[in-house]
Every structure is written in C-alpha cells, then in structure tokens.
Amino acid sequence: MFEALKSGLASHFKDRATNSSRKAVQDYINGLKQMTDQDLGVILAVSTIIRINMEEEGYLPKGLYSDQSLPSTNELGRYQMDLNKLVRDFNKMRQHTDAVGALLISYSLRCLNVAEVRDLGRDMWAEMQRGLPHGEQALKNGEQEKGEPFPKRAWQEWNLIPVGLEPQEHRDHISDD
C-alpha cells in the first residue's frame, strides 16, 4: 500500500512539474510572438554571446547546441538553475534583453531535458527563426556599441539551433538535402 501511495505521489508531482514547464515555455513563446523579427535577431545575437561566454568560462559545456550527446538530466537541471539565477540578476540590473537571451538558453535546455516539453522547444525555435535574417546585423550593431569584436565563435554559431529542437520544417529541409 505504501508503495502505491509513494508511486501515486511521485506521478502527481512529475505531472505538476511537467505542466509547470509547459506553461512557462508556452508563455515565453507567446512573448516571442509579440516581438518583431529584428528584435528576435537581437535575442539570437545576445543569447549566442551569453552562451559562448558561459561555455568559454566553464559554466556550460562547450558545443552545447551542436553536440549530439547531452549532459545528464541532473547536470542539465543544474545549468538551468544557474541560467535562471543569471536571468534574475540581469532583470535586477535592468538588462532585460540579456535576461530574455539567457532565458532562451535555459528553456532550450529544459526542452531538451524533458521529453514532454520537446515539442514546445521546436515551436520556440520555429518562432526564433523569424530573427535569422536579422541576427548578423544585430551582431554587427552589438560590436559597434561595445567597441570591440565578439569572439569568432559568435559569428560562426549565432544561427545555430540546438540539436533536437529543430523546427519540423527545418528538419524536413535537412532531410531533403
């Protein structure tokens, strides 16, 4: 009897966590839908710079978006918690664009980590694709504002979609090649 109760509770909490994840990612997608294509290009550029800096500093594993093998579920969860803290810090400093960019990384990891949310990850990146025509210009503008060049990897990876979160039409296009 105790095992059945324990199993039922575990299932209940897993369902609640999954529903909470789905709601959070869907709310983020709804926010992305309100943005212009140019704004999404900026988010792509900012998110890339944050991810590359975090990879270079050892806060995230290198090649996170391009690697076929993901870190463990626990490691991905820890990276998400670190990113969510960074989002809160950016918001406190009123760096809201940086917060939205860091959240893109966090939610991408969540969608890769939780199979029941992966479909929303593909929807999120389908929305982000609207910014692709504007990402390179956003990087150029960012370099001008900063007054120094971004890492070479930023120019190579700004249009990278995490492996496993490619939108369906993107996946269809890849299989046609």
Side-chain angles (χ1 to χ4, degrees):
M1 171 142 156
F2 179 70
E3 287 302 315
L5 179 61
K6 190 168 108 177
S7 174
L9 280 173
S11 176
H12 170 75
F13 286 117
K14 183 180 188 294
D15 289 348
R16 284 189 61 180
T18 299
N19 289 340
S20 175
S21 286
R22 289 190 67 80
K23 181 179 179 347
V25 175
Q26 186 61 61
D27 288 348
Y28 184 77
I29 293 168
N30 292 343
L32 296 177
K33 288 180 178 185
Q34 303 303 311
M35 294 183 177
T36 67
D37 296 359
Q38 291 84 359
D39 289 343
L40 293 177
V42 171
I43 299 303
L44 281 171
V46 167
S47 180
T48 300
I49 299 299
I50 291 169
R51 179 180 50 80
I52 287 173
N53 285 340
M54 290 184 79
E55 287 179 10
E56 294 297 325
E57 296 295 323
Y59 293 107
L60 291 174
K62 286 192 177 176
L64 186 60
Y65 279 9
S66 58
D67 198 346
Q68 296 286 335
S69 60
L70 289 171
S72 73
T73 298
N74 287 342
E75 288 175 301
L76 282 173
R78 186 175 50 80
Y79 296 137
Q80 289 171 60
M81 288 191 320
D82 292 345
L83 284 159
N84 292 341
K85 182 186 180 315
L86 182 62
V87 168
R88 287 189 300 274
D89 291 345
F90 280 144
N91 278 326
K92 283 180 192 171
M93 295 184 290
R94 299 189 183 284
Q95 296 175 332
H96 302 297
T97 302
D98 291 348
V100 173
L103 208 49
L104 177 63
I105 304 167
S106 177
Y107 284 159
S108 294
L109 295 183
R110 184 181 300 191
C111 292
L112 289 169
N113 203 15
V114 180
E116 296 86 355
V117 188
R118 188 124 345 125
D119 61 324
L120 287 177
R122 286 190 278 275
D123 292 348
M124 179 174 65
W125 279 95
E127 200 59 41
M128 289 306 302
Q129 281 186 310
R130 289 193 297 118
L132 287 175
H134 307 283
E136 198 168 338
Q137 186 61 49
L139 277 176
K140 287 178 187 173
N141 294 346
E143 277 188 343
Q144 287 176 343
E145 287 174 25
K146 190 176 175 193
E148 61 184 71
F150 289 131
K152 261 188 193 170
R153 277 185 59 209
W155 290 97
Q156 296 164 346
E157 298 182 17
W158 67 267
N159 58 355
L160 197 59
I161 296 172
V163 171
L165 297 184
E166 302 92 344
Q168 191 60 43
E169 64 274 2
H170 184 77
R171 296 174 90 138
D172 293 343
H173 178 69
I174 290 171
S175 63
D176 291 344
D177 293 342

